Amino acid sequence: MRRIFRLVIFLLAIFVIWYGIGSVKLPNLASILKERSVFLERGNKANFFKDWNEQEILDKINTTRAKDNKERLVLSEKLSKSASARLAVIITENDYDGTKTGLTRELAITNAGYDASLIGDLTLVDFFRSNDPISYWNSDEISKGTLFHKDFKEVGIAIRNHDEKVDVYLLFVTPRKKSTKIVKTPTWGGPELWSEINKRRVEMGVNPLIKRDELCTIASIRLNQLLELNKLDGHEGFTPVLQRQDLKWIAEKYDISEYLAQGYNTAADTVKGWESTMGHRTLLAGGEYVWGCVYAQNTFSVAIAAY
């Protein structure tokens, strides 16, 4: 009897639950979720400020300089490459002046093939993009002096945007002026120098030298050596030439001396240079010398005298 009573109660309870669900309208949960959902994209942080770029910074700088009646700066691709290299060592090595890595602003500019007479730089590291760089630089007298320097003509700009901050490095440069001075190429050579040497020897009361082809061979070889070195060698190459198997007979036949000069504008000036030097004066005043030969090119001069 008790079992039957419990069964009736259980069935009645199921009926009440079923009836309640059927009569009570449940809200449309799917619709609510669709209307009220918030979507989050993982791995991306909200970016509230626009990335900085070269042109915007250049415009800010030039607008500011124009208000102070300073010349507008021109953006240089070479300088921007130099600025990028400097910004990299600043960020990675904390090397603001280049002493740690060796990459100074001067070296960075030279490496880019740029020739500058005056250099300045400005730096921003972990600077909030919401802030104004011009106001920041104007707050410091040194930075302000760089920003408004009247001699700067070109600028290189390097930028790294990250999160809400930015790193910036600027290189300001005055290009080195190319010389407009015309460099006169010497027009004199061996014949003119030979004439001046013998003219001065006669004036000093000694005989003019007589040209010998074998001595000209030595003078020619020595001049080519000096031209290749692009400097005087202090006669270091003279003895090896005389000891060559094909030229040794010349050294055995003559007592030979060599006279060198470089850098004089004229043949006459070269002769005056030799005359004012005790060791070289014998070329002009030495009566013992009978034969000789001279070769000269690009102000390099070789005179051979012998007896």
Side-chain angles (χ1 to χ4, degrees), residues 104-134:
T104 62
R105 63 189 188 183
E106 290 79 11
L107 180 59
I109 288 175
T110 301
N111 288 345
Y114 196 99
D115 191 13
S117 62
L118 183 65
I119 304 172
D121 61 353
L122 293 174
T123 307
L124 296 175
V125 175
D126 282 339
F127 191 78
F128 283 99
R129 279 185 273 168
S130 58
N131 292 337
D132 179 26
I134 302 300

Side-chain angles (χ1 to χ4, degrees), residues 8 24 68-70 75 92-93 100 102 110 112 121 130 150 161-163 165 177 182 231 240-241 272 276 278 294:
V8 172
V24 177
D68 200 52
N69 297 319
K70 296 299 188 299
L75 186 65
T92 60
E93 302 294 337
K100 184 177 180 181
T110 301
D121 61 353
S130 58
K150 64 181 180 63
N161 291 284
H162 55 100
D163 298 334
K165 296 182 178 180
K177 293 182 179 180
I182 300 176
K231 64 178 182 179
V241 169
K272 289 179 182 178
S276 63
M278 186 65 66
V294 171

Side-chain angles (χ1 to χ4, degrees), residues 250-280:
I250 301 175
E252 293 173 350
K253 181 177 180 180
Y254 301 99
D255 192 325
I256 305 174
S257 297
E258 177 185 64
Y259 300 87
L260 306 178
Q262 181 208 355
Y264 293 99
N265 292 324
T266 66
D269 289 339
T270 304
V271 171
K272 289 179 182 178
W274 277 328
E275 186 176 347
S276 63
T277 307
M278 186 65 66
H280 295 84

Side-chain angles (χ1 to χ4, degrees), residues 48-296:
F48 299 105
F49 303 103
K50 182 181 177 182
D51 284 353
W52 288 14
N53 60 63
E54 292 182 349
Q55 190 59 50
E56 289 179 352
I57 292 181
L58 179 64
D59 290 342
K60 286 178 181 290
I61 292 172
N62 281 333
T63 298
T64 302
R65 286 175 62 89
K67 292 178 181 178
D68 200 52
N69 297 319
K70 296 299 188 299
E71 183 178 347
R72 293 174 62 86
L73 300 179
V74 177
L75 186 65
S76 165
E77 183 179 351
K78 287 184 177 181
L79 290 179
S80 291
K81 290 180 180 179
S82 303
S84 296
R86 286 285 299 126
L87 182 60
V89 298
I90 289 173
I91 294 172
T92 60
E93 302 294 337
N94 197 34
D95 188 12
Y96 282 83
D97 58 4
T99 56
K100 184 177 180 181
T101 62
L103 187 63
T104 62
R105 63 189 188 183
E106 290 79 11
L107 180 59
I109 288 175
T110 301
N111 288 345
Y114 196 99
D115 191 13
S117 62
L118 183 65
I119 304 172
D121 61 353
L122 293 174
T123 307
L124 296 175
V125 175
D126 282 339
F127 191 78
F128 283 99
R129 279 185 273 168
S130 58
N131 292 337
D132 179 26
I134 302 300
S135 298
Y136 176 79
W137 288 322
N138 274 332
S139 65
D140 178 79
E141 286 302 317
I142 296 178
S143 298
K144 185 177 180 179
T146 300
L147 188 64
F148 290 101
H149 200 293
K150 64 181 180 63
D151 292 333
F152 288 141
K153 308 295 182 184
E154 299 186 10
V155 63
I157 304 175
I159 305 172
R160 185 180 77 107
N161 291 284
H162 55 100
D163 298 334
E164 73 278 14
K165 296 182 178 180
V166 64
D167 302 320
V168 178
Y169 185 78
L170 307 179
L171 269 174
F172 299 83
V173 164
T174 302
R176 190 179 302 280
K177 293 182 179 180
K178 294 182 178 180
S179 176
T180 57
K181 183 179 179 181
I182 300 176
V183 179
K184 294 183 178 180
T185 302
T187 57
W188 60 275
E192 292 82 4
L193 185 58
W194 177 255
S195 177
E196 290 291 337
I197 290 172
N198 279 332
K199 175 184 174 183
R200 188 56 182 151
R201 283 180 63 86
V202 171
E203 291 173 348
M204 298 186 75
V206 296
N207 59 288
L209 298 176
I210 300 172
K211 186 176 293 185
R212 283 292 174 89
D213 289 341
E214 55 266 38
L215 299 181
C216 288
T217 298
I218 296 174
S220 174
I221 292 173
R222 289 290 292 134
L223 177 62
N224 287 330
Q225 289 177 342
L226 300 182
L227 291 173
E228 186 174 348
L229 288 172
N230 197 32
K231 64 178 182 179
L232 301 181
D233 66 356
H235 305 288
E236 288 184 4
F238 181 53
T239 299
V241 169
L242 296 181
Q243 292 177 344
R244 280 176 41 170
Q245 289 298 322
D246 57 332
L247 302 176
K248 188 180 294 185
W249 68 274
I250 301 175
E252 293 173 350
K253 181 177 180 180
Y254 301 99
D255 192 325
I256 305 174
S257 297
E258 177 185 64
Y259 300 87
L260 306 178
Q262 181 208 355
Y264 293 99
N265 292 324
T266 66
D269 289 339
T270 304
V271 171
K272 289 179 182 178
W274 277 328
E275 186 176 347
S276 63
T277 307
M278 186 65 66
H280 295 84
R281 197 169 187 273
T282 54
L283 171 65
L284 309 171
E288 70 273 20
Y289 291 121
V290 180
W291 300 286
C293 188
V294 171
Y295 267 68

